[in-house]
Amino acid sequence: MFRFTVTIVAALSLSACAAAPSGHRVAEPAPPQERRPNIIFIMSDDHAQAAISAYGTEIGKLAPTPNIDRIARNGALFENSYVTNSLCGPSRATMLTGQFSHMHGFTKNGQKFDNASWNWVRALGQSGYQTAMFGKWHLNHSPEGAGIDDWKVLDDQGEYYNPDIITPEGKTRVEGYATDLVTDYSLDWLKNRDPDKPFAILIHHKAPHRNFMPAIRHIQRYLGTEFPVPTNYFDHYDGRPAAAAQEMNIYRDMYEGHDLKMTTRVGTTELRYNRWPGAFERMTPEQRAKWDALHQADNDAMNAAGLEGREMALWKYQRYMDEYLGTVAAVDEGVGRVLDWLEASGEANNTIVVYTSDQGFYLGEHGWFDKRFMYEESLRTPLLMQYPGHIAPGSHVRVPVENVDYAPTFLDFAGLAPRDTIQGRSMREVVEGRPPADWRKDVYYHYYEYPGFHSVRAHYGVKSGRYKLMRFYGDINGWEFYDLESDRGEMHNRIDDPAVQPIVADLKRKLIRLREQYRDTDGPAVGDPLSDVAKGQRDADVAAGLGHHAH
């Protein structure tokens, strides 16, 4: 059995390529290698696919990510990469275990992940790998007992400036910027590891998670840049009661001080509503003075203009984008530093690098920030992977993959046997340009956290090619159906359109099969009625063979 090196870095890139029928260029057969693959798994938090220039987006053209793009240029960009539950903790647990939320038991933030659970990093360590993790853990207090050799993690969500760092020795506040510190810790470990053993390292950034605090060097990076406002920024949510009930609207729900760094009046640095003041109070006086000075002119101009209504909503969008994309900039720099080390070290050809995020994120679509919904912006996540000699440079993966597939992929590349508890599937053949004929066509999703922050209702659903069907349940019950070919923005819920009922019925059958396949009995069954007034629809479902089979 060959030994090879896998490095995984969360990254995205769009590059032109000659495509095989599968949508890839097939990589040339790799020569035998002397070592097993190293794995560098770089993951950011809440990095929208639209904010990676490799994906060819308008935002990416204005705020490029050249280092993340290097991964796509050197390897593969996944065009249809999805999460199974668009929420930080559940997504991280899924990536570690290869299981859906209801199986690994971490369905909502605030729960505690069992570190004794099987995870792919522990499995690699038991097979001879050196393992390490630096950055955001966010599954419980620390990775203690999770089978990771060396680690330094942020306390809980983590802070951007002078964060508290947890190590096996305890918790200490460290001066610096979190993204830079995580990169520093990772490179220090890489440079001082045992060179005779393969390694797997998780580099998990807090950025660009709320409250979107750029490094001081990037505060004014996009000042004056006019980012395109989404056409549905002022969405009225007609026909979508769950969307109407959320609390994640940029111009209504964002905290003006904490999130948008808005001041109360001209000439002052006093912030407007600042729910969690610790994010700013932990800055040194020198850091805070520079921070305030770099925001002052823009805040003073906003206050002097007396903006209201639509004009204020548009100003808030631009400020949000300035802060969010400025926060991404340091992540991209960190990725570049890791790639530079990899190339200089001589390990690049024996390393798989993967860049991803724990889920997608809204950049003003539907008027929103955050994630959670099964709509495309939070369902999709960036995913880029390079492995010279195995993955053709500039290739594009077009078949749908999910974060439940990461664990079996790492096992496969490391030469380890698959595990029965894993619900995903190795992407190795897919990324090498040989997708199996029986690869999945349908993506299953289930979100649980309600009541909860942002008031997004629990729902599950299926995406099958151009079509998507979602069932919301709880105090708002209802189905939503979208044809993404004619309605990319998911603005028109056509669940009651007679013309699409055969498609809806087929999607419900697929949902039943998927819930049985993944052993998900949480929430109502597909055939359960929405309410007494929906009895007519229930009868129609039963007549179509869509009864209580999912119980």
Side-chain angles (χ1 to χ4, degrees):
M1 179 177 65
F2 297 149
R3 297 170 57 177
F4 36 111
T5 301
V6 179
T7 300
I8 298 173
V9 178
L12 299 165
S13 92
L14 264 174
S15 302
C17 66
S22 63
H24 300 259
R25 268 199 340 230
V26 178
E28 293 297 322
Q33 299 180 12
E34 297 180 356
R35 293 180 298 158
R36 300 170 72 189
N38 304 311
I39 298 173
I40 298 175
F41 180 24
I42 301 174
M43 183 168 69
S44 52
D45 193 311
D46 292 345
H47 197 173
Q49 197 177 89
I52 295 177
S53 48
Y55 279 93
T57 63
E58 290 302 310
I59 292 171
K61 293 174 184 176
L62 295 169
T65 50
N67 292 298
I68 294 173
D69 292 359
R70 286 165 63 182
I71 300 171
R73 200 161 51 245
N74 295 337
L77 178 144
F78 289 73
E79 296 184 6
N80 295 290
S81 169
Y82 304 100
V83 292
T84 56
N85 180 355
S86 187
L87 196 61
C88 299
S91 182
R92 292 164 190 274
T94 288
M95 291 183 191
L96 283 170
T97 64
Q99 294 180 315
F100 282 80
S101 300
H102 62 280
M103 296 297 290
H104 57 61
F106 197 108
T107 61
K108 309 172 185 179
N109 282 343
Q111 295 175 333
K112 300 295 183 184
F113 179 71
D114 182 0
N115 284 1
S117 301
W118 179 92
N119 70 74
W120 66 267
V121 187
R122 187 201 306 276
L124 265 62
Q126 291 171 340
S127 75
Y129 274 72
Q130 301 167 89
T131 62
M133 192 270 170
F134 301 103
K136 185 170 180 177
W137 176 247
H138 196 47
L139 289 169
N140 45 45
H141 180 69
S142 78
E144 186 74 42
I148 301 173
D149 297 334
D150 299 299
W151 48 268
K152 293 181 180 180
V153 298
L154 296 164
D155 185 20
D156 193 45
Q157 288 278 6
E159 299 289 356
Y160 281 107
Y161 284 86
N162 310 326
D164 291 334
I165 300 293
I166 300 172
T167 71
E169 288 72 44
K171 182 167 66 174
T172 306
R173 182 169 297 189
V174 179
E175 185 169 335
Y177 184 66
T179 304
D180 297 341
L181 290 171
V182 170
T183 302
D184 291 344
Y185 295 151
S186 301
L187 286 172
D188 182 67
W189 186 86
L190 286 167
K191 293 171 183 176
N192 292 285
R193 76 194 193 286
D194 183 343
D196 296 323
K197 291 183 179 180
F199 65 82
I201 181 173
L202 282 62
I203 305 174
H204 287 187
H205 292 291
K206 170 191 173 64
H209 190 279
R210 187 184 193 182
N211 66 334
F212 329 112
M213 295 182 73
I216 287 172
R217 64 186 180 274
H218 295 311
I219 288 173
Q220 293 190 348
R221 185 181 181 99
Y222 299 112
L223 187 65
T225 302
E226 285 292 317
F227 291 100
V229 180
T231 56
N232 59 2
Y233 185 59
F234 293 104
D235 191 346
H236 294 293
Y237 316 115
D238 296 334
R240 291 158 288 147
Q246 48 64 41
E247 296 176 359
M248 45 192 264
N249 184 281
I250 292 171
Y251 48 88
R252 185 187 65 223
D253 300 314
M254 266 191 162
Y255 302 144
E256 291 185 328
H258 179 77
D259 295 318
L260 295 170
K261 293 80 179 181
M262 297 168 66
T263 53
T264 57
R265 62 189 182 279
V266 174
T268 184
T269 60
E270 180 186 358
L271 292 172
R272 299 191 187 191
Y273 182 61
N274 183 20
R275 179 170 179 174
W276 297 292
F280 300 96
E281 291 174 350
R282 67 192 305 115
M283 285 178 159
T284 65
E286 294 77 15
Q287 289 169 338
R288 186 63 189 270
K290 291 178 181 178
W291 175 277
D292 289 340
L294 290 167
H295 281 89
Q296 190 72 49
D298 196 36
N299 276 328
D300 283 352
M302 174 272 300
N303 280 309
L307 302 175
E308 295 180 354
R310 182 182 181 90
E311 288 72 25
M312 176 57 85
L314 293 171
W315 186 93
K316 286 182 175 182
Y317 169 75
Q318 296 297 340
R319 169 56 71 88
Y320 166 46
M321 295 297 283
D322 290 349
E323 299 292 311
Y324 179 92
L325 295 167
T327 306
V328 168
V331 175
D332 187 70
E333 290 173 343
V335 170
R337 292 174 61 196
V338 171
L339 292 177
D340 289 346
W341 171 84
L342 189 62
E343 292 165 5
S345 70
E347 294 282 0
N349 288 337
N350 295 319
T351 300
I352 296 172
V353 178
V354 172
Y355 180 90
T356 191
S357 180
D358 51 356
Q359 62 264 319
F361 210 67
Y362 294 99
L363 299 181
E365 300 89 356
H366 304 285
W368 297 339
F369 68 103
D370 209 67
K371 55 262 185 177
R372 302 167 195 266
F373 280 106
M374 196 189 172
Y375 302 127
E376 287 295 288
E377 292 81 10
S378 59
L379 177 65
R380 286 181 176 272
T381 189
L383 179 61
L384 306 105
M385 184 184 298
Q386 71 176 54
Y387 187 14
H390 292 260
I391 301 173
S395 56
H396 286 220
V397 177
R398 296 190 172 95
V399 298
V401 302
E402 294 189 85
N403 57 354
V404 75
D405 299 325
Y406 294 6
T409 301
F410 301 152
L411 293 181
D412 192 358
F413 274 118
L416 300 181
R419 182 177 174 85
D420 291 343
T421 59
I422 289 177
Q423 295 179 295
R425 185 171 179 180
S426 171
M427 300 181 289
R428 182 174 179 177
E429 290 180 285
V430 166
V431 78
E432 289 181 345
R434 303 172 287 111
D438 63 347
W439 188 261
R440 78 164 62 82
K441 294 180 175 61
D442 305 320
V443 171
Y444 181 65
Y445 179 87
H446 198 156
Y447 172 81
Y448 298 83
E449 193 179 276
Y450 183 79
F453 215 60
H454 295 303
S455 295
V456 175
R457 270 54 178 184
H459 58 290
Y460 63 75
V462 58
K463 181 179 181 184
S464 183
R466 62 189 276 189
Y467 301 117
K468 185 184 293 183
L469 182 69
M470 295 181 275
R471 173 160 187 169
F472 290 86
Y473 62 90
D475 63 340
I476 293 180
N477 282 277
W479 289 94
E480 294 185 12
F481 168 83
Y482 300 96
D483 180 349
L484 298 173
E485 188 170 288
S486 60
D487 181 20
R488 293 185 63 183
E490 295 168 284
M491 296 289 288
H492 307 291
N493 177 16
R494 297 177 60 193
I495 192 64
D496 295 323
D497 183 349
V500 301
Q501 294 313 302
I503 302 171
V504 170
D506 181 59
L507 291 174
K508 287 184 177 180
R509 283 188 285 268
K510 288 180 177 179
L511 263 180
I512 289 171
R513 289 197 295 270
L514 289 168
R515 284 171 62 80
E516 290 175 343
Q517 174 184 342
Y518 296 125
R519 290 174 283 168
D520 185 8
T521 58
D522 290 344
V526 173
D528 280 357
L530 300 178
S531 65
D532 291 339
V533 297
K535 187 175 185 302
Q537 179 63 49
R538 168 180 163 76
D539 292 343
D541 287 348
V542 172
L546 302 173
H548 294 263
H549 305 300
H551 278 304

